[in-house]
Amino acid sequence: MNFELTKEQEMIRKMVRDFATEKIAPRAIDIDVNAKFPEDLFKEMGELGLLGIPFPEEVGGSGGDTVSYALAAEEIARVCGSTGLSYAAAVSLGSSPIYYFGTDEQKEKFLKPLASGEALGSFGLTEPNAGSDAGGTKTTAKIDGEDYVINGEKCFITNASYAKQIIVTAVTGKDDRGKNIISAIIVPTDTPGITITDNYDKMGVRGSNTAEIVLEDVRVPKENLLGDPEKGFKQFLYTLDGGRISIAALGVGIAQASLDKALEYAKERKQFGQSISNFQAIQFKLADMAMEVELARNMVLKAAWLKDQGKNFTKEAAYAKLFASETATRNANEAIQIHGGYGYMREYEVERYLRDAKLLEIGEGTSEIQRLVIARQFGC
Amino acid sequence: MNIYVLMKKTFDTEEKIQIDGGVIEEEGAEFIINPYDEYAIEEAIKIRDDHGGEVTVVTVGDEESEQQLRTALAMGADKAVLVNTEDDLEDGDQYSTVRILEAYFEDKDVDIILAGNVAIDEASGQVGPRLADKLDIPYVTTITNLEIGGEDVKIVRDVEGDEETVETSLPLLVTCQQGLNEPRYPSLPGIMKAKKKPLEELELDDLDLDEDDVEAKTETVEVFLPPEKEAGRVLEGETEDQVKELVSLLKTEAKVL
């Protein structure tokens, strides 16, 4: 048993913390207020190799591991939830499926530009009537000659407006039992027939791009099919397992930021002639917050470590996602409470933490779905 | 070109520093590359990229210094050298460090050595210039710009808010001031590559030095934190009375008059 990070992991964490503090943090309020995707920051993050952390060098990645990736996601979310969410989605959902299931040609053509940070990728799973129930997917992909012709509609798709390509899930046929076969197909965003609009007015993570996608007779070559045509559903369950680790890491970041702000404020703020951090009512809150951050982080790192060891991590990733996202919401809420009236003001940032944290309980599987995932691991 | 950087590991002064029994508490302290040395590393990498050659980062420190050396390698330095004095040197000072570095550089063919202007912990700013003196090469401190053309070097240095231009030649030692450059972040591929770059570890023995040779010439009498800032006081009443009160306070309380 060893809880120490490797030298590389330490260095990565320090580098990302420095970058996040110096480059992202000063713009976090602005990114939220104007709901503007910070494209230039992603360019810089790409140049530093952050978008390729968990992928090997052969596919344009940085040759890091899942632990390093989780540390990076935490550090980014600690200063800006919007940037954090777009970062996690780009790596876990845009790039990872191609790395897991892509052919060598697909990796060369579609993964390399993403892993090396030249472009962003996106993952189109959710539809207006297929959220947690991905089996309800209505988008279809029919073979016509050498092409798939795709028709359908996707919603709440992160980074789609800035993506070079979108991995789209679609019904490609029926199995022996008459159930829909769902496959994943890589669709370059410059293909005719795709309309991407981003008119959502969101509660939080406002600077993270979220888009609606309409696909009308979109033609892509058959070789853009990702992975096994029969196992599309299993593939994205695995993808989502990995994604949960990064969403959990974002939760740890926001929870840590909430604690940092609350602690700093509690020490400075004087009422009744002394710092409010002298009062047990505040101390108990701070103690709970610190404890939960640590527990959440340990769970995230354990899930990441299991993944790096090639062991099963489905249950642990769900524990981490569920606990860390709810911790983020609780901590952000308590941070506002400790700040009193000031906490309600944008300038103090903790109100943004709460709005950003809430998304983490919903995206990539709601808290309720996480509990189902966990229970299913017991054979329920 | 043979480019060398003198690097020091320091505690992060942005973090809380605790003193226990006259010694800075290392447990829990965050350690970083001395920020001025980061300018030196950045400049060294730029010189190498423009003129070719090799960047070697040298530190006198302990086992833990490897982390900072690896960071320098991750930024782009080619080689690192750790002179580990953990077992041989209780309390070194600038003399000890210079003596060790002098021994290290004895058989080295040097074109340029870059150091930080000062280290943010003890801020003596002595090691660079004293080493140059021992190696009998020119040195220029607090540089904010550096141009190398063949053997000729043109330098702009910071002189307390003004600028001075100096022309000199290689071999040379410079100490780097804020404003010289913007140190890069170590990239992810850089961090992964740093693992495989050579890091040589030496002890005093390897440099033909005894503990006595490097014994400190100074003694630290006391280490203490600056007094905590107290809240200011606002004087009240008629202006004339306030002035009288102020003068009296400056005499009796602040004792500056």
Side-chain angles (χ1 to χ4, degrees):
Chain A
M1 192 85 218
N2 182 359
F3 279 99
E4 267 179 19
L5 299 176
T6 66
K7 284 205 169 60
E8 285 72 34
Q9 290 162 349
E10 282 282 5
M11 277 158 74
I12 291 168
R13 178 163 72 171
K14 166 124 188 15
M15 180 270 276
V16 182
R17 179 173 295 176
D18 289 347
F19 177 80
T21 309
E22 288 157 24
K23 301 276 181 170
I24 307 176
R27 291 172 51 186
I29 291 179
D30 196 49
I31 287 170
D32 174 59
V33 172
N34 297 314
K36 178 98 179 77
F37 179 75
E39 207 176 357
D40 59 320
L41 285 177
F42 275 82
K43 194 166 171 289
E44 279 191 70
M45 285 155 64
E47 282 162 9
L48 286 171
L50 292 181
L51 291 163
I53 294 184
F55 312 117
E57 286 168 41
E58 303 88 78
V59 295
S62 308
D65 51 16
T66 313
V67 169
S68 303
Y69 168 49
L71 294 169
E74 177 191 331
E75 292 300 333
I76 294 170
R78 200 169 60 90
V79 303
C80 178
S82 292
T83 309
L85 183 73
S86 277
Y87 171 65
V91 177
S92 290
L93 303 182
S95 300
S96 292
I98 309 176
Y99 174 60
Y100 300 144
F101 310 115
T103 61
D104 288 347
E105 291 74 30
Q106 287 172 339
K107 285 180 188 166
E108 182 67 32
K109 188 171 170 192
F110 296 114
L111 178 56
K112 249 190 183 168
L114 307 190
S116 59
E118 290 157 29
L120 289 174
S122 191
F123 187 69
L125 172 66
T126 306
E127 299 187 0
N129 295 307
S132 299
D133 177 17
T137 299
K138 292 275 185 295
T139 298
T140 57
K142 297 202 165 98
I143 291 181
D144 181 43
E146 289 304 301
D147 297 332
Y148 277 111
V149 180
I150 308 168
N151 279 286
E153 204 179 321
K154 299 284 174 183
C155 64
F156 307 147
I157 307 306
T158 307
N159 297 343
S161 305
Y162 295 87
K164 185 167 180 281
Q165 73 227 7
I166 302 165
I167 301 166
V168 171
T169 54
V171 177
T172 46
K174 288 198 189 299
D175 66 12
D176 307 342
R177 293 174 296 160
K179 278 181 83 178
N180 282 341
I181 297 172
I182 298 174
S183 309
I185 300 164
I186 304 170
V187 182
T189 46
D190 57 3
T191 315
I194 298 184
T195 315
I196 301 171
T197 45
D198 48 13
N199 291 328
Y200 295 117
D201 190 6
K202 289 180 291 178
M203 170 183 175
V205 288
R206 293 171 52 78
S208 173
N209 173 260
T210 312
E212 263 180 306
I213 305 167
V214 177
L215 304 117
E216 285 171 301
D217 293 329
V218 174
R219 269 180 185 273
V220 294
K222 272 200 294 196
E223 65 257 26
N224 281 20
L225 180 82
L226 184 60
D228 189 322
E230 305 289 316
K231 291 183 185 150
F233 200 79
K234 270 212 166 122
Q235 286 175 20
F236 55 68
L237 287 185
Y238 183 82
T239 301
L240 292 179
D241 280 347
R244 279 172 195 140
I245 297 175
S246 61
I247 298 293
L250 303 179
V252 175
I254 295 178
Q256 178 71 54
S258 303
L259 170 64
D260 292 344
K261 287 268 186 212
L263 182 59
E264 189 190 337
Y265 183 84
K267 283 181 172 172
E268 273 170 20
R269 173 70 172 174
K270 290 203 166 57
Q271 290 288 277
F272 308 104
Q274 53 185 315
S275 294
I276 61 170
S277 63
N278 290 339
F279 302 130
Q280 275 194 344
I282 302 296
Q283 289 174 357
F284 285 8
K285 283 188 198 296
L286 291 169
D288 285 347
M289 289 165 79
M291 173 184 70
E292 291 197 28
V293 171
E294 188 70 13
L295 293 176
R297 184 180 291 119
N298 278 346
M299 198 64 240
V300 170
L301 292 177
K302 181 173 178 188
W305 178 84
L306 285 169
K307 184 167 191 288
D308 285 334
Q309 302 303 311
K311 295 176 194 287
N312 194 325
F313 61 95
T314 300
K315 191 171 60 186
E316 288 77 7
Y319 288 158
K321 201 273 191 184
L322 173 59
F323 186 69
S325 62
E326 296 195 350
T327 295
T329 301
R330 264 194 303 275
N331 274 13
N333 197 29
E334 289 291 36
I336 297 172
Q337 194 66 21
I338 291 170
H339 278 73
Y342 293 101
Y344 207 66
M345 303 300 152
R346 201 188 291 272
E347 187 192 341
Y348 285 79
E349 300 196 77
V350 285
E351 62 83 34
R352 184 184 83 236
Y353 296 166
L354 182 62
R355 290 186 286 108
D356 287 352
K358 189 63 201 172
L359 182 274
L360 305 181
E361 294 181 50
I362 298 168
E364 295 195 38
T366 60
S367 286
E368 292 68 28
I369 291 293
Q370 303 309 317
R371 290 182 170 90
L372 288 182
V373 169
I374 293 163
R376 197 164 295 154
Q377 295 292 313
F378 312 145
C380 294
Chain B
M1 275 224 275
N2 292 322
I3 308 157
Y4 288 88
V5 178
L6 309 182
M7 190 203 78
K8 186 177 188 183
K9 173 190 78 172
T10 62
F11 41 80
D12 191 347
T13 49
E14 307 250 315
E15 303 283 327
K16 195 172 165 61
I17 290 168
Q18 286 183 324
I19 293 180
D20 188 19
V23 186
I24 291 166
E25 191 67 65
E26 297 213 342
E27 190 72 29
E30 290 279 332
F31 286 93
I32 55 171
I33 296 177
N34 174 41
Y36 291 98
D37 300 350
E38 282 187 345
Y39 301 126
I41 296 164
E42 175 65 32
E43 199 64 18
I45 295 168
K46 284 164 100 173
I47 295 171
R48 184 213 43 212
D49 291 349
D50 290 346
H51 300 273
E54 203 172 54
V55 175
T56 307
V57 180
V58 186
T59 198
V60 177
D62 53 31
E63 203 70 51
E64 306 298 313
S65 308
E66 191 187 326
Q67 185 78 26
Q68 283 70 36
L69 285 176
R70 290 277 174 213
T71 303
L73 293 172
M75 286 172 74
D78 301 289
K79 296 199 295 195
V81 177
L82 165 62
V83 184
N84 188 342
T85 58
E86 211 168 353
D87 301 330
D88 301 321
L89 193 59
E90 190 97 333
D91 273 312
D93 66 359
Q94 293 81 11
Y95 171 81
S96 320
T97 307
V98 171
R99 186 74 192 82
I100 291 165
L101 290 172
E102 184 192 356
Y104 170 78
F105 280 107
E106 203 166 39
D107 60 349
K108 301 288 183 294
D109 187 16
V110 170
D111 288 303
I112 186 165
I113 302 175
L114 300 102
N117 166 33
V118 290
I120 58 166
D121 48 9
E122 288 166 348
S124 80
Q126 289 191 27
V127 170
R130 282 170 74 168
L131 176 66
D133 191 59
K134 289 285 183 194
L135 299 178
D136 201 22
I137 58 173
Y139 68 87
V140 183
T141 58
T142 57
I143 72 163
T144 54
N145 194 43
L146 178 73
E147 283 168 45
I148 300 175
E151 293 291 294
D152 299 324
V153 184
K154 199 172 156 189
I155 290 171
V156 178
R157 63 185 296 263
D158 173 38
V159 279
E160 301 289 330
D162 216 332
E163 282 183 350
E164 184 177 47
T165 304
V166 182
E167 286 177 11
T168 178
S169 62
L170 300 176
L172 172 74
L173 183 145
V174 293
T175 73
C176 304
Q177 170 70 311
Q178 193 171 8
L180 176 63
N181 54 43
E182 190 72 42
R184 68 193 70 190
Y185 296 100
S187 73
L188 253 298
I191 289 172
M192 303 318 288
K193 268 185 220 138
K195 225 181 346 193
K196 295 169 204 140
K197 288 184 178 174
L199 191 152
E200 185 184 9
E201 194 176 327
L202 302 171
E203 292 192 16
L204 290 188
D205 258 2
D206 302 310
L207 298 170
D208 287 329
L209 290 171
D210 286 332
E211 287 166 45
D212 300 344
D213 298 332
V214 298
E215 202 178 310
K217 298 285 189 194
T218 57
E219 187 192 346
T220 301
V221 183
E222 198 185 348
V223 176
F224 56 91
L225 290 171
E228 252 187 71
K229 249 196 192 152
E230 285 173 37
R233 254 171 79 182
V234 179
L235 303 178
E236 278 168 20
E238 293 294 320
T239 312
E240 207 175 308
D241 298 333
Q242 284 191 45
V243 171
K244 274 185 196 157
E245 198 185 345
L246 177 64
V247 172
S248 115
L249 284 173
L250 287 173
K251 272 185 186 157
T252 56
E253 223 168 81
K255 297 195 171 92
V256 291
L257 290 180

